Amino acid sequence: MKFVLVDFQHIGSGGFGTLGLVTLVRKLGHEASLIGGEDVIQLLQDERKIRQVLSAEKPDVIGLSVMTPYADYIGPMGDLVRQTLGQVPIIVGGYHSTIFGSQVFQENQCVDYVAVGDAEDSLPALLERLSSGHGGSVEGILAREEAGSVPVKPALAPKSDDTLDHIPFADEEAIHPAYYNPALMRGHGSLPLSSRYVLYSRGCPFRCSFCQIENDGGFRTRYRRYSAELVTAHLEEMIKRYELKGVCFLDDNFTLDKDWAQAVCEGILRKGLKFNWWAQVRGNLADYDLMRLMRRAGCIVAAITIESGNDRIRRQVMCKDITREEIHRAYRMAKRLGMLTQGTLMMGSPTETWEECLDSIDFFRKMDPDWAGVLLTTPLPGTSMHARYADRIRVTCYRDYDIALQESHYGRDDVEMAFHKIDPTALLEALHQIRHEYSYAERAKPSLRNISSRQRLLWMLRHRKQSR
């Protein structure tokens, strides 16, 4: 069969699951390719291009991979597919369908199948069923005609050994040639220009209330990863193929499995791989010996999340069981080792007062990351935070949940995110001030204050020269 998957998210930083899925389908003998770009909005701006590609490919099955903030575009994309290809089966997968299940059918008449959970086992099973002329549900994918009469069953249970070694790595060559753009595949801006994002693990055992992982049936709360041997072999291949100078590890918690992280670093050193890299380090999982090894292996940026500097908000509202002391300790380690630090700050959380917001900002400034992402707290559907404060949230569409758009909601009569106790004007003024103060563009200048080591300064200057 011929399968085309449309990724609604940014293909460079979010296409690991979809690219891996297309690669797997190809290995099983089907024809498959992926359509992706900056996001589905950008894709739909050129409907003519989509029609041309679909008309030329004539796929037997279409997949749509959707995160909740983009769920409003399932209908327009599905209609475009129908107008171009007729009644080809349309499957919706991703976090949105995993959270909402058969509700996707109710909201989108164009959808024929809804995938719940990981699709590496269920999608090949469905493609085999369809290729033999049969329809109906398979384990992990529900058919429209059985919605309501057949329960939404989760995908096949993850392999018992907790590894992902049976799943192919994401291969950007699976992107359809008409949509392949090397510039979109570049890694984090803090890395050299020739860089890529990589993802070698799935799952997070922690239960932060704002994360959509909370209610997905356990598919993302169970931690699994590729073996260190496969990871370092893949890194070596990527570096040679794309002449990379930098890699951004998007794993939620690079140091969660200390033995694995150590083995990856030792493998990088043993192979003599020379590249700079970025990784996320949870404050209470920071280990000095491991971080020193990471630095030796090329890690130059440690992303240490703060979220909130106020203990009540961070621990009781966000359900992050991390203390100020643990966060502070992690920052001290990174700076002592000459690593750059990236922080995150979430403002306007449920029940947060102005005094708590100021306390959070004060602690954030004391940590003084080299730059940071500063956002308004956004409870996504499916999270425990959303469930708890749903009566204080009013939106008109799924797009209203896009984190990047939240500040535009203030002043709109049809949208309400006022679950905190802060004056909206004061909140936005503080948000803009901190965002500007800790933006990458602002902080990556030679005048960056509080440079803690000559090595960090030299790296900043070198990066600016490369970026010109």
Side-chain angles (χ1 to χ4, degrees), residues 32-279:
S33 61
L34 184 138
I35 292 176
E38 294 179 10
D39 58 33
V40 66
I41 301 172
Q42 177 258 333
L43 290 177
L44 286 171
Q45 288 174 353
D46 192 349
E47 291 189 6
R48 182 170 175 269
K49 182 178 180 179
I50 298 176
R51 292 179 192 276
Q52 288 177 336
V53 170
L54 293 180
S55 297
E57 291 296 320
K58 295 182 174 58
D60 301 298
V61 183
I62 290 285
L64 308 178
S65 178
V66 185
M67 296 284 278
T68 295
Y70 294 112
D72 297 308
Y73 298 94
I74 295 174
M77 184 62 76
D79 291 342
L80 183 59
V81 170
R82 288 280 182 257
Q83 294 165 13
T84 308
L85 300 173
Q87 295 301 311
V88 298
I90 296 177
I91 310 168
V92 172
Y95 276 124
H96 185 73
S97 61
T98 296
I99 298 296
F100 288 90
S102 59
Q103 184 176 327
V104 176
F105 290 131
Q106 301 168 19
E107 297 173 345
N108 303 278
Q109 292 303 309
C110 62
V111 176
D112 300 296
Y113 296 91
V114 168
V116 178
D118 294 338
E120 282 83 9
D121 291 309
S122 57
L123 178 61
L126 179 62
L127 292 180
E128 289 301 320
R129 178 183 283 269
L130 292 174
S131 66
S132 63
H134 301 289
S137 302
V138 298
E139 190 171 10
I141 299 181
L142 179 66
R144 172 179 286 278
E145 62 266 23
E146 298 179 37
S149 59
V150 176
V152 184
K153 296 180 180 179
L156 296 173
K159 304 298 181 182
S160 58
D161 57 7
D162 287 337
T163 72
L164 300 174
D165 290 358
H166 61 291
I167 299 174
F169 288 115
D171 186 348
E172 61 190 66
E173 293 183 5
I175 301 173
H176 192 280
Y179 284 93
Y180 181 64
N181 180 359
L184 288 178
M185 308 309 292
R186 185 192 164 200
H188 194 274
S190 61
L191 296 171
L193 292 178
S194 56
S195 60
R196 289 291 191 276
Y197 287 100
V198 294
L199 182 68
Y200 293 122
S201 64
R202 294 184 185 181
C204 176
F206 304 106
R207 299 282 184 152
C208 302
S209 64
F210 55 81
C211 186
Q212 198 168 10
I213 289 174
E214 174 71 20
N215 292 321
D216 72 347
F219 294 98
R220 292 296 181 267
T221 52
R222 182 177 182 181
Y223 177 73
R224 291 166 288 152
R225 75 283 183 279
Y226 290 95
S227 64
E229 293 77 16
L230 280 184
V231 168
T232 52
H234 183 253
L235 286 170
E236 184 175 29
E237 177 190 348
M238 290 274 289
I239 290 167
K240 290 180 179 178
R241 183 193 299 185
Y242 302 111
E243 300 181 343
L244 301 184
K245 301 297 183 183
V247 168
C248 178
F249 289 83
L250 278 183
D251 304 86
D252 287 337
N253 299 289
F254 184 82
T255 59
L256 178 61
D257 184 335
K258 182 179 176 180
D259 292 339
W260 176 82
Q262 179 177 325
V264 170
C265 292
E266 290 173 345
I268 291 171
L269 292 169
R270 185 170 56 253
K271 288 177 176 290
L273 303 180
K274 304 295 184 182
F275 64 99
N276 293 327
W277 46 284
W278 177 107

Side-chain angles (χ1 to χ4, degrees), residues 324-377:
R324 286 192 183 200
E325 291 73 22
E326 289 169 330
I327 296 172
H328 194 183
R329 177 172 166 270
Y331 271 88
R332 287 200 307 269
M333 287 182 191
K335 293 182 179 184
R336 179 181 172 186
L337 291 166
M339 291 178 173
L340 297 160
T341 54
Q342 177 178 334
T344 54
L345 181 66
M346 296 168 61
M347 302 173 65
S349 294
T351 73
E352 186 173 15
T353 65
W354 180 237
E355 290 73 21
E356 289 172 323
C357 183
L358 293 178
D359 178 52
S360 179
I361 292 172
D362 180 64
F363 178 76
F364 179 82
R365 283 186 167 135
K366 287 178 180 177
M367 296 304 96
D368 198 28
D370 289 297
W371 62 87
V374 183
L375 303 166
L376 292 174
T377 302

Side-chain angles (χ1 to χ4, degrees), residues 1-44:
M1 298 198 79
K2 184 175 284 190
F3 175 65
V4 170
L5 180 56
V6 182
D7 196 328
F8 279 30
Q9 292 67 240
H10 190 288
I11 191 60
S13 59
F16 300 101
T18 50
L19 282 172
L21 200 57
V22 170
T23 304
L24 173 64
V25 169
R26 284 180 168 186
K27 287 182 179 294
L28 293 175
H30 302 284
E31 295 182 60
S33 61
L34 184 138
I35 292 176
E38 294 179 10
D39 58 33
V40 66
I41 301 172
Q42 177 258 333
L43 290 177
L44 286 171

